[in-house]
Amino acid sequence: MSGFRYAVSDTLVLAKRSLLRIPRAPDLLLSFTVQPIMFVLLFAYVFGGAIKTPGFSYIDFLMPGIIVQTMSFGGFVTALGLSEDLRKGLIDRFRSLPMSRGAVLAGRTLGDVATNSISIAVMLVVGVIAGFSFNAPLLDIVAGILLLLLFGYAFSWVFAFVGLTSSSPEAAQSLGFIVIFPLTFISSAFVPVESMPAALQAFAEVNPFTIVVDAMRHLFLGTPAGNNVWGAVAWSLGIAVFFAALSINRYKRAVTR
């Protein structure tokens, strides 16, 4: 039991270290605050008038999708941090300390939960100012926020793996964009799936981003749920477990080579 307490303590210390890095790197802080605001305003006021969303104002249609996209990018700090720590040899220094070996990855991904919470708060405030309104019970809204954090946490493990396999922080950032951007745009996040060509529509319908976005529309706007909520939870847990296993394996190889 004491070993578990030490592991939790080490994880919290490294999560705090990850968060303390942000004020010293203002560009990272911008990605949690200014960037989400820019995305909301850009899509709502530049593209919104050209996109038809029957049954919704575009801002109501947009907000669940754009918040899901932001959660998927929330793990960039983990990717950049792990890649940088490997290059500078900091991971080797951690190995020489009497600390839990799993705390490095767990601390990094846990820190992303805090920064994702900031992003959600910023985006919801901006969305409400732009005209977004909830149309669901309070418990559903709270469940939606928790689902967003779970989805973001899953993608923190995706980016942990990206950071551990990339040759540099710049490569980690580029690879992350290449992987995530097509998935977010070929989904129901920004346009109705029905408006896409047949081939893209078939992909979008099984895209986990579509399932999570549709689940968020149910929890925030009261649209029919279908199996989307349970599907979103299953996808989030599956992605987290799969990429956590890959990241742990890659981390062990990185520190023993």
Side-chain angles (χ1 to χ4, degrees):
M1 192 65 179
S2 61
F4 175 76
R5 287 200 301 267
Y6 282 127
V8 171
S9 176
D10 292 340
T11 297
L12 293 176
V13 168
L14 289 178
K16 181 180 179 181
R17 170 184 174 265
S18 180
L19 294 175
L20 288 175
R21 179 172 177 260
I22 295 171
R24 301 166 188 165
D27 55 325
L28 293 178
L29 185 61
L30 292 177
S31 68
F32 308 127
T33 54
V34 176
Q35 183 174 300
I37 295 173
M38 290 178 60
F39 268 113
V40 172
L41 298 180
L42 177 67
F43 277 89
Y45 295 111
V46 177
F47 301 124
I51 300 174
K52 304 301 180 183
T53 52
F56 299 96
S57 66
Y58 187 67
I59 189 66
D60 285 345
F61 182 88
L62 171 70
M63 287 307 300
I66 206 163
I67 298 177
V68 169
Q69 183 202 49
T70 302
M71 291 301 98
S72 69
F73 283 111
F76 263 120
V77 174
T78 288
L80 297 175
L82 285 174
S83 180
E84 186 177 5
D85 288 348
L86 282 172
R87 289 183 65 195
K88 291 182 176 179
L90 189 60
I91 299 296
D92 292 328
R93 292 179 61 188
F94 285 149
R95 290 178 60 204
S96 66
L97 298 175
M99 60 178 287
S100 170
R101 295 293 176 261
V104 174
L105 295 179
R108 281 285 185 183
T109 54
L110 182 61
D112 289 340
V113 176
T115 54
N116 283 339
S117 299
I118 296 172
S119 294
I120 292 173
V122 170
M123 296 192 75
L124 288 179
V125 169
V126 174
V128 169
I129 293 173
F132 174 73
S133 58
F134 294 102
N135 187 26
L138 178 61
L139 288 179
D140 283 3
I141 295 170
V142 172
I145 293 173
L146 293 176
L147 177 57
L148 286 170
L149 292 175
L150 175 62
F151 186 69
Y153 183 71
F155 271 82
S156 292
W157 284 107
V158 174
F159 279 103
F161 180 68
V162 169
L164 290 168
T165 54
S166 301
S167 59
S168 67
E170 294 77 16
Q173 187 171 16
S174 298
L175 182 59
F177 272 105
I178 291 170
V179 172
I180 302 299
F181 252 91
L183 290 175
T184 57
F185 278 91
I186 309 176
S187 74
S188 65
F190 303 112
V191 299
V193 171
E194 296 77 14
S195 67
M196 299 179 183
L200 292 182
Q201 183 175 335
F203 176 81
E205 288 174 348
V206 298
N207 184 346
F209 277 86
T210 294
I211 295 170
V212 176
V213 170
D214 289 348
M216 293 308 307
R217 291 197 176 112
H218 165 70
L219 294 170
F220 280 0
L221 302 173
T223 61
N227 294 319
N228 290 320
V229 174
W230 295 113
V233 172
W235 267 109
S236 299
L237 293 175
I239 291 170
V241 170
F242 180 73
F243 279 95
L246 290 179
S247 299
I248 291 169
N249 181 63
R250 182 67 184 180
Y251 178 75
K252 289 178 178 178
R253 292 169 57 190
V255 299
T256 55
R257 63 189 177 186

